[in-house]
Amino acid sequence: MVWGRGRWRAVHGIAELEALLARLALISTGPHVVGLYPPRFLEPDFRPVNVRTSPSLQLGIGHPVRGFLYWTGPVSSLGYEPELPPWPDGESMIEFDYGGDPLVCGPTLTRVTAGAVRDSALEYAATGERPTRVRWRDDQPAKPRPDQALPASALPARHSGARTDQTSMSCRFPRYG
């Protein structure tokens, strides 16, 4: 498990993970991103290029009502609860601490409750598989045919400072390898 700026801890069991997630959700600095990785990531011969073949789960925790789930692997996906309405337009977007950098998340990414984030983290830890507690969206945009123009909305937004999902399907996480 990784959070903050270079903080990590090997977690041995579901009960330990549940207790640690509960403590991290209460950190007074506000919501933040937590990465859950398979034990293989701790092996001495593991290289970051292997990330895509060793799926992991990114969590947005610490907000009392909403969070996010981001599955990484051969096909990255955003978790969502279809019955949960998007974050209201008039409300401030949620800012998560991503290792010291702000990750500002709007209505698309914050479509999971804090309880669903917790339950999904525990399910991933128990199975090593993408959680079934929520539904998933493919995070890879469809590639247009050569004869189709790429719509402006499909182009990546240029931002300085905070990352955001206002103009794209998800916040962008750094890619390894």
Side-chain angles (χ1 to χ4, degrees):
M1 180 169 164
V2 176
W3 72 96
R5 195 176 288 268
R7 299 186 75 184
W8 68 275
R9 179 173 172 179
V11 179
H12 306 284
I14 303 300
E16 184 180 349
L17 176 62
E18 187 169 21
L20 187 53
L21 286 173
R23 283 196 303 268
L24 288 174
L26 298 175
I27 290 177
S28 63
T29 58
H32 49 279
V33 177
V34 172
L36 299 180
Y37 301 96
R40 184 167 177 230
F41 277 52
L42 298 175
E43 294 174 2
D45 66 335
F46 183 80
R47 298 290 176 255
V49 75
N50 300 339
V51 168
R52 300 305 257 169
T53 60
S54 297
S56 63
L57 187 63
Q58 301 288 316
L59 319 169
I61 67 170
H63 188 273
V65 180
R66 297 286 182 108
F68 70 82
L69 294 166
Y70 183 72
W71 175 256
T72 64
V75 177
S76 298
S77 313
L78 289 174
Y80 72 101
E81 293 177 272
E83 66 280 359
L84 189 64
W87 190 247
D89 285 336
E91 296 289 325
S92 297
M93 291 192 292
I94 302 170
E95 184 176 301
F96 293 89
D97 177 1
Y98 187 50
D101 293 326
L103 182 69
V104 181
C105 299
T108 302
L109 194 59
T110 55
R111 288 284 301 267
V112 290
T113 61
V117 170
R118 183 188 134 292
D119 292 349
S120 295
L122 298 177
E123 182 181 347
Y124 168 71
T127 67
E129 301 292 326
R130 188 170 77 175
T132 58
R133 166 69 166 80
V134 298
R135 295 185 64 193
W136 296 91
R137 291 176 214 227
D138 181 12
D139 191 34
Q140 305 300 320
K143 293 182 180 176
R145 294 189 325 251
D147 61 331
Q148 291 178 315
L150 190 63
S153 62
L155 298 174
R158 302 264 183 227
H159 297 286
S160 58
R163 299 178 192 117
T164 180
D165 76 334
Q166 284 180 300
T167 59
S168 64
M169 181 149 169
S170 71
C171 298
R172 295 290 170 211
F173 292 90
R175 299 280 187 212
Y176 295 96

